[in-house]
Amino acid sequence: MTIRCKSFSTANEPGGVKYFSTKEDTDFNELAFTVGSGEMLPGLEEGMMGMRKGGLRRVEVPSTMVFAARKEGQLPLPSEKNKDGKRRFDSLFKTDATVLIEVLVTRIK
């Protein structure tokens, strides 16, 4: 899963500035959660409904949902090793930030 702030596109990252990636920010290159449990952004959970193993989807979450999710602690945080991601996370979500999440389902239990 890669999470980008779509509102902050750059020449190097036209899809938006990346602040979280399971490849860089998790130990096992994946993020496990139960859809519908309220652990993640409501917009992400809604966008993932009906996905199957191997499915790839881009989910765009509007800033109003992002701000609510940040207050509830539902946004995945960059790891301590990812200093750029942490700095970006702290600065990006002080503004009107639409989030674009690229999801690849690798396993379903």
Side-chain angles (χ1 to χ4, degrees):
M1 177 186 318
T2 302
I3 302 178
R4 298 179 181 275
C5 264
K6 186 178 176 188
S7 306
F8 296 90
S9 298
T10 64
N12 294 336
E13 297 183 88
V17 175
K18 179 173 64 174
Y19 89 86
F20 179 88
S21 170
T22 51
K23 289 181 182 177
E24 299 165 5
D25 294 306
T26 61
D27 292 332
F28 301 106
N29 294 337
E30 61 185 22
L31 186 65
F33 64 94
T34 303
V35 174
S37 67
E39 296 174 57
M40 296 295 283
L41 289 95
L44 172 61
E45 291 187 354
E46 182 181 328
M48 289 185 66
M49 292 292 186
M51 287 187 75
R52 299 172 191 260
K53 183 179 176 183
L56 180 65
R57 195 175 282 179
R58 285 185 168 183
V59 180
E60 189 171 319
V61 182
S63 60
T64 53
M65 284 185 166
V66 173
F67 282 117
R70 183 171 186 197
K71 287 181 184 176
E72 297 295 321
Q74 295 172 320
L75 286 175
L77 298 172
S79 70
E80 292 299 319
K81 297 179 284 184
N82 186 353
K83 300 293 183 195
D84 278 344
K86 178 83 173 103
R87 181 179 49 77
R88 288 177 177 174
F89 179 83
D90 292 338
S91 65
L92 290 174
F93 297 110
K94 292 179 183 174
T95 60
D96 185 25
T98 299
V99 172
L100 180 65
I101 303 171
E102 299 165 354
V103 181
L104 171 64
V105 176
T106 56
R107 210 175 349 161
I108 297 177
K109 285 187 178 182

